[in-house]
Amino acid sequence: YDVEEKKRRAGEKAVEYIEDGMTIGLGSGSTVYWMIKKLGERIKQGLEVKGVPSSLRTEAWAREFGIPLVYFSEVNRLDLAIDGADEVDPDFQLIKGGGGSLLREKLVADAAKKLIIIVDESKQVQKLGRFPLPVEIVRFGWESTARKLSSFGCNPMLRKTEDGEVFVTNNDNYIVDCVFDAITDPEGLHRELKLLLGVVETGLFLKRTDKVIVGRKRGVDILER
Ligand code: DER
């Protein structure tokens, strides 16, 4: 069954939780695309909200669909952030960063009172780690940072674009995708990785996710903690 249809269902359902007057953290990725598109329709019908985009790609979509944007510097708290994920476990621990926007996504999610994650059902896992863990690192001396990462039993792969160039994030950093056998202690791993010289942020989102909306063939499931 078409995965895009499942993404669309989850993305559109999330818009029902957006109320007039809210300032919304807009996540990144192809599932968020459907949320932004639907939100644009609701705004045309009179809904008044402002968005803080978590990537340049999301900013472009927000402009395309007419979502008023506000700069992160102008707000201190967001009412709600809505974002996608690459993996979601039963405790709502996430791996994110597949699209390369994890640093801004985490800053936006952290500033939000509530976080709603929208996924198609393929993202649900029992244990995190099948998806390589994205880690944002500074460009300078990236090889030595990658060597430090590999001492944690991961095999860090420098992310490339389709045309073979090294991928550079919106924050002018690199991403290494760390292949682990399994991530048994996400909290501990995140803390240890953050302490490594050269590491900026990891794709482990362990902060409170309040709702997970799962798009399925037959509809959507709303999971709450
Ligand atoms: O890069 C990200 O964190 C995205 O949110 C990603 O995790 C989900 O992207 P998708 O909705 O395109 O699968």
Side-chain angles (χ1 to χ4, degrees), residues 7 27-32 57 83-87 95-102 105 118 120 123 205:
K7 289 175 185 244
S28 297
S30 61
T31 310
V32 161
R57 191 166 174 239
D83 204 346
D86 297 297
E87 285 188 342
I95 285 186
K96 283 177 57 52
S101 316
L102 67 95
E105 287 173 324
I118 52 179
D120 66 272
K123 309 297 187 60
F205 279 52

Side-chain angles (χ1 to χ4, degrees), residues 171-208:
N171 320 297
D172 207 24
N173 294 319
Y174 285 165
I175 294 225
V176 283
D177 291 298
C178 292
V179 181
F180 286 94
D181 297 334
I183 298 179
T184 51
D185 173 16
E187 285 272 354
L189 176 63
H190 171 73
R191 269 200 306 275
E192 292 192 48
L193 294 180
K194 279 287 289 207
L195 287 175
L196 286 180
L197 178 61
V199 169
V200 177
E201 192 48 70
T202 80
L204 286 167
F205 279 52
L206 310 173
K207 171 189 179 283
R208 275 178 55 80

Side-chain angles (χ1 to χ4, degrees), residues 43-44 54 68 133 141 156 165 188 205 217:
I43 286 168
K44 284 197 180 65
S54 62
L133 176 64
E165 302 291 312
F205 279 52
K217 182 173 178 178

Side-chain angles (χ1 to χ4, degrees), residues 115-188:
L115 175 60
I116 294 179
I117 294 297
I118 52 179
V119 292
D120 66 272
E121 58 190 354
S122 74
K123 309 297 187 60
Q124 287 185 289
V125 297
Q126 280 308 312
K127 278 184 83 64
L128 297 179
R130 188 185 56 202
F131 189 89
L133 176 64
V135 178
E136 185 154 342
I137 63 175
V138 296
R139 296 169 72 157
F140 182 78
W142 76 270
E143 299 90 341
S144 64
T145 304
R147 276 195 295 277
K148 292 187 179 73
L149 284 165
S150 55
S151 67
F152 283 92
C154 79
N155 174 20
M157 312 288 289
L158 182 64
R159 186 175 295 186
K160 303 280 177 65
T161 61
E162 280 95 42
D163 49 21
E165 302 291 312
V166 177
F167 176 83
V168 179
T169 69
N170 290 159
N171 320 297
D172 207 24
N173 294 319
Y174 285 165
I175 294 225
V176 283
D177 291 298
C178 292
V179 181
F180 286 94
D181 297 334
I183 298 179
T184 51
D185 173 16
E187 285 272 354

